[in-house]
Amino acid sequence: CRSCKPFGRDKELPNFLKVDCLCVRAFNPFYPPREEDRAALAKERAAQLNRLRPIPELQRRLWQLPRGTVSVHIRRTDHAKAIARSPEELFWHTMESYPQDVSFFLATDDPDVEERMKSRFGSRLLTAPKNLNRNSPTGIQDALIDLLLLSQGIEVLGSFKSSFSAMASHFHMVPLRTMDVSPTPVKPTAAFREVAVVPLDPEEDEYTDGSCGVE
C-alpha cells in the first residue's frame, strides 16, 4: 500500500490504526521487518506451510509427481512484467537443456501456452485440469492444486515477479530459477522480495478509482 502520510517509530500511530483488530492484506511477507530476519525464518515458515492440509475433496485430487520432476510456472494474462521478462521461448530453451528422461510439471494461466508446451514436450509434460476463472471457488481450488503440485518439483522454473512461483519453491525450500531476459544481480531473499509498506487512511479521498492505493 502507499500513503502520502507515512509514519516512523518516533511518531504516534494514526487514529485509523488504533483498533482492537487490524486485518492486513498483502502478497509478500512483511514481518519481521528486516530482510535478513525474514530469511533466517524461512525454514520455519516453510514448516508452517506444510502443516496446512487441504480439505479432503482437494487431497483426493493431489497426486505424487514422478521423482526428479522439474516444476514450471508460466504466468501470463494480466501480468505484463512476467510476459515481457519471462518469454515462452526462454522456458523452452531452459527445459530443452535437461536430459531427455526429465519430466516437467507445468502450471500456467494461459491455455494456449499449455497447448504449445504439450506439443513441444509431449509425454514429458504433466499438467492438471483447471478452471482459469480466478473469481470462482472452483478456479481458486484448482489454483491451489497447481501450487501444491508445483511445490513437489526438485526446482521451480518461475516467472518474473510472480509470488505464485516464489510460494511454490518456498513450500519445500527448493531452488527458484526465475526466467528473465534481463537478469540483474539481486540478494537472495528466501524466495521472496521486499516491498515497502506504509499506512493508508481509508477515510482519505485521494484514491477515487476504487484501488484503495494498492499497487
Side-chain angles (χ1 to χ4, degrees), residues 70-136:
V70 174
S71 294
V72 181
H73 175 234
I74 304 180
R75 180 72 162 87
R76 288 297 176 259
T77 61
D78 60 342
H79 201 315
K81 290 182 179 179
I83 295 171
R85 297 281 293 267
S86 301
E88 194 174 332
E89 294 80 4
L90 189 54
F91 284 94
W92 293 349
H93 296 322
T94 303
M95 294 165 69
E96 288 170 348
S97 69
Y98 287 84
Q100 287 293 314
D101 59 349
V102 172
S103 297
F104 302 99
F105 175 78
L106 170 67
T108 180
D109 54 351
D110 187 329
D112 293 334
V113 168
E114 183 172 318
E115 286 304 311
R116 287 193 293 269
M117 297 292 278
K118 284 181 177 179
S119 176
R120 195 174 190 91
F121 292 96
S123 60
R124 296 174 64 193
L125 192 78
L126 309 173
T127 61
K130 63 179 70 67
N131 179 337
L132 293 175
N133 181 359
R134 289 182 289 175
N135 294 320
S136 70

Side-chain angles (χ1 to χ4, degrees), residues 128-192:
K130 63 179 70 67
N131 179 337
L132 293 175
N133 181 359
R134 289 182 289 175
N135 294 320
S136 70
T138 301
I140 294 170
Q141 290 179 347
D142 289 352
L144 176 60
I145 293 294
D146 261 356
L147 179 66
L148 294 175
L149 289 171
L150 279 173
S151 73
Q152 294 182 25
I154 59 171
E155 65 176 324
V156 176
L157 306 184
S159 295
F160 181 77
K161 293 289 186 180
S162 171
S163 56
F164 201 85
S165 297
M167 183 61 72
S169 74
H170 193 59
F171 263 86
H172 301 294
M173 302 292 291
V174 299
L176 170 63
R177 295 178 60 188
T178 299
M179 301 293 99
D180 187 1
V181 294
S182 303
T184 54
V186 294
K187 295 186 298 182
T189 57
F192 290 103

Side-chain angles (χ1 to χ4, degrees), residues 40-53:
L41 292 174
K43 289 185 178 180
E44 181 179 333
R45 290 199 307 271
Q48 295 291 345
L49 282 173
N50 283 279
R51 291 189 179 97
L52 301 176
R53 292 290 180 268

